Amino acid sequence: MLVQRSRTGRTLRAALDNGRVEVHYQPQVDLSKQTVDTVEALVRLRDDTGQLIAPSEFIAYAEETGLIIPLSCAVLADACQQINRAQALGHRLHVAINVSIVQFAQPDFVDSLCEQCKTHGVEPSCIEIEITEGLLMRDADNLRGVLDQLRLHGFRVALDDFGTGYSSLAYLSQLPIDVLKIDMSFVSRLTTSRQCVSIATAIIQLGKSLHMGLIAEGVETQEQVDLLLAMGCKTMQGYFYSKPMPADELMAWLHLRNDAGREQACVDT
């Protein structure tokens, strides 16, 4: 365990020092428009042999050591670059970025985000900040102030892994949340568990009543798509549509997918 931890630390520091942090992107498909305007940024790290290291290993280490701060800066910088690339190709792209409790604890967190966006010439409205339900549960009162600042500057906020914890609905109704993400643990069992269907339905109805966007994570089959559409969720993310991919692949994928979506929309109208 100690040897593995030491190896992970050396690999992470080398990647940060040498600009070798990889960011892959997974599209969120809006089936009502048949297009993609948001992707989730997912950080990747490789060991000396080129093998991917599980995010659960190096993210935990990064949070414990404070390296999550420069790591997140590297992810945001790459995301801004892809937003600019997509814009040059005629696509208005939004990128969702996961944020840890360590980052939220930084007094200059929001200012740092704004400064990076300004440096890269990206509007904050193109960035969606993802927080987990666990983070919400841990410090909802103080979180409110940070979320209000984010909203003030134009950032969008998504609540990830929703339904897996025990967050207060009162807090949820009071916080400036734009999007609820239905956790993949429910989506994966939609065809086999009535309880999961009931929970997913409740989340979707809750999101609609609070005028929030909805995204289903971990969608892998047409059956899941059909059930989610019937429940009222029209934006989906998962291997059924695309695995997370490097930026160059993403640009080609977006070009083909969005052009096809626009053509279909013209046919439908």
Side-chain angles (χ1 to χ4, degrees):
M1 181 66 73
L2 290 176
V3 173
Q4 183 178 5
R5 179 180 171 83
S6 177
R7 185 184 301 118
T8 298
R10 289 197 305 272
T11 302
L12 178 56
R13 287 185 171 85
L16 288 169
D17 291 342
N18 300 317
R20 291 193 287 106
V21 173
E22 293 185 37
V23 184
H24 289 193
Y25 296 88
Q26 188 169 38
Q28 297 173 355
V29 181
D30 182 344
L31 296 183
S32 64
K33 298 185 295 184
Q34 292 296 323
T35 57
V36 173
D37 65 4
T38 303
V39 297
E40 181 178 1
L42 299 164
V43 65
R44 297 290 185 257
L45 195 66
R46 297 182 187 274
D47 61 20
D48 295 337
T49 67
Q51 297 296 311
L52 287 172
I53 301 174
S56 58
E57 293 182 19
F58 70 85
I59 292 297
Y61 179 90
E63 288 182 330
E64 292 171 13
T65 59
L67 290 175
I68 192 69
I69 304 301
L71 181 62
S72 298
C73 286
V75 172
L76 180 57
D78 195 275
C80 289
Q81 181 181 351
Q82 306 323 318
I83 289 169
N84 287 326
R85 288 180 65 190
Q87 186 173 356
L89 295 172
H91 305 297
R92 179 172 172 79
L93 185 67
H94 302 76
V95 178
I97 297 175
N98 295 281
V99 174
S100 79
I101 191 170
V102 177
Q103 293 168 267
F104 265 90
Q106 299 299 307
D108 64 344
F109 169 61
V110 177
D111 290 340
S112 177
L113 285 177
C114 292
E115 186 61 33
Q116 279 194 273
C117 286
K118 182 178 179 180
T119 298
H120 295 284
V122 167
E123 297 176 9
S125 59
C126 291
I127 302 295
E128 184 172 284
I129 303 299
E130 287 197 4
I131 62 173
T132 64
E133 191 174 15
L135 177 56
L136 172 63
M137 292 164 56
R138 188 176 302 187
D139 198 9
D141 291 331
N142 291 328
L143 188 63
R144 172 64 184 265
V146 178
L147 296 183
D148 283 339
Q149 289 184 55
L150 289 171
R151 175 71 69 80
L152 180 65
H153 288 286
F155 296 98
R156 287 168 54 83
V157 178
L159 185 57
D160 200 6
D161 302 335
F162 187 71
T164 59
Y166 304 94
S167 60
S168 166
L169 294 183
Y171 278 132
L172 184 62
S173 66
Q174 295 167 12
L175 292 172
I177 303 292
D178 298 292
V179 178
L180 287 183
K181 299 191 74 175
I182 306 168
D183 190 71
M184 65 178 63
S185 62
F186 303 123
V187 173
S188 65
R189 293 181 288 162
L190 284 178
T191 59
T192 60
S193 169
R194 290 184 180 180
Q195 287 182 322
C196 287
V197 170
S198 296
I199 292 171
T201 300
I203 292 172
I204 290 168
Q205 293 304 315
L206 176 63
K208 287 187 173 183
S209 68
L210 294 175
H211 306 290
M212 296 176 180
L214 293 157
I215 299 173
E217 293 186 289
V219 177
E220 296 185 347
T221 69
Q222 184 66 55
E223 285 182 284
Q224 292 168 354
V225 172
D226 294 340
L227 283 170
L228 288 162
L229 284 174
M231 294 176 197
C233 180
K234 298 181 179 179
T235 303
M236 306 185 195
Q237 177 180 346
Y239 275 58
F240 183 74
Y241 295 102
S242 173
K243 62 181 174 67
M245 64 188 96
D248 288 343
E249 289 183 28
L250 172 70
M251 292 302 143
W253 191 95
L254 284 175
H255 184 68
L256 291 174
R257 176 84 196 193
N258 285 348
D259 284 354
R262 293 189 188 97
E263 291 176 4
Q264 184 62 46
C266 290
V267 171
D268 292 341
T269 55

